[in-house]
Amino acid sequence: GAVVSQHPSRVICKSGTSVKIECRSLDFQATTMFWYRQFPKQSLMLMATSNEGSKATYEQGVEKDKFLINHASLTLSTLTVTSAHPEDSSFYICSAADGTKDTEAFFGQGTRLTVV
Amino acid sequence: GNSVTQMEGPVTLSEEAFLTINCTYTATGYPSLFWYVQYPGEGLQLLLKATKADDKGSNKGFEATYRKETTSFHLEKGSVQVSDSAVYFCALKHQGGKLIFGQGTELSVKP
């Protein structure tokens, strides 16, 4: 199956700093990427959907100025958590899909963010 | 709106036991249905899928049948192994490719 690489897998940052998470599709063109947040023992909450070259579409209740999403190429999307606070600590997962084909989205390995 | 409901966990079974994890959905139209598995500390892996009514998805001994009449997509396995211990998510694919997930069911298989 297709491979989606997410980096870093774990990151610890100080409160008030920003953290960037990368999501790369390694062997296909990801026209659409999705960013999810997962709280412990809970389901995945979709944060935003991004299409290559366009602004991301954020789900209701997600602060777009806090969670900056860039999808500048067909193989890379980034999520930047700005001015991170302890409540932003969570597991963030990206998924990528080729919208030109009727295939499922593929998921990255996830990033465990801890804000101290 | 579209939604997915799964049976609550955790589910604890002995090795070689029969597994059923119930999943029902609410959706407009005819969505595709998926089961994903998440091992500790990892992202999600697609386990199986079905794209239309009466389709049966299967993989690694797991099976699920798309039942339109009962709006269900229950996951089954005849004989679970310790290595099957994970969290299982049922999901439907919304328009535009969005996946809507159930709340997840944690499975623990004891030797």
Side-chain angles (χ1 to χ4, degrees), chain A residues 57-70:
Chain A
T57 301
Y58 290 80
E59 296 298 304
Q60 193 171 11
V62 178
E63 299 177 61
K64 62 180 181 181
D65 294 330
K66 179 162 190 65
F67 299 101
L68 301 179
I69 291 171
N70 183 280

Side-chain angles (χ1 to χ4, degrees), chain A residues 7 12 17 26 34 39-40 46 56 65-66 71-72 75 84 86 96-97 102:
Chain A
H7 178 81
I12 300 173
T17 62
L26 299 185
F34 305 90
F39 293 99
L46 180 65
D65 294 330
K66 179 162 190 65
H71 190 173
T75 58
D102 187 21

Side-chain angles (χ1 to χ4, degrees), chain A residues 1-98:
Chain A
V3 178
V4 174
S5 176
Q6 189 173 339
H7 178 81
S9 58
R10 291 179 179 272
V11 58
I12 300 173
C13 71
K14 291 185 177 181
S15 191
T17 62
S18 296
V19 173
K20 181 183 284 188
I21 302 169
E22 292 187 348
C23 182
R24 294 181 184 273
S25 60
L26 299 185
D27 54 0
F28 69 101
Q29 294 185 333
T31 56
T32 305
M33 286 194 175
F34 305 90
W35 286 95
Y36 296 85
R37 183 173 180 176
Q38 185 181 31
F39 293 99
K41 297 189 180 297
Q42 293 189 29
S43 189
L44 282 75
M45 180 192 79
L46 180 65
M47 299 174 65
T49 303
S50 70
N51 292 300
E52 185 264 337
S54 303
K55 288 185 178 180
T57 301
Y58 290 80
E59 296 298 304
Q60 193 171 11
V62 178
E63 299 177 61
K64 62 180 181 181
D65 294 330
K66 179 162 190 65
F67 299 101
L68 301 179
I69 291 171
N70 183 280
H71 190 173
S73 78
L74 285 171
T75 58
L76 174 65
S77 176
T78 60
L79 167 67
T80 302
V81 183
T82 62
S83 187
H85 291 283
E87 57 265 31
D88 298 324
S89 298
S90 193
F91 195 58
Y92 293 87
I93 305 176
C94 71
S95 72
D98 184 344

Side-chain angles (χ1 to χ4, degrees), chain B residues 25-66:
Chain B
Y25 67 91
T26 302
T28 53
Y30 303 97
S32 294
L33 301 174
F34 303 83
W35 276 100
Y36 284 87
V37 58
Q38 183 180 33
Y39 297 100
E42 298 184 14
L44 273 67
Q45 300 175 27
L46 177 64
L47 182 59
L48 54 84
K49 68 176 182 180
T51 57
K52 61 183 187 296
D54 299 326
D55 266 3
K56 177 186 282 188
S58 61
N59 185 27
K60 300 181 181 179
F62 291 90
E63 292 183 342
T65 301
Y66 190 143

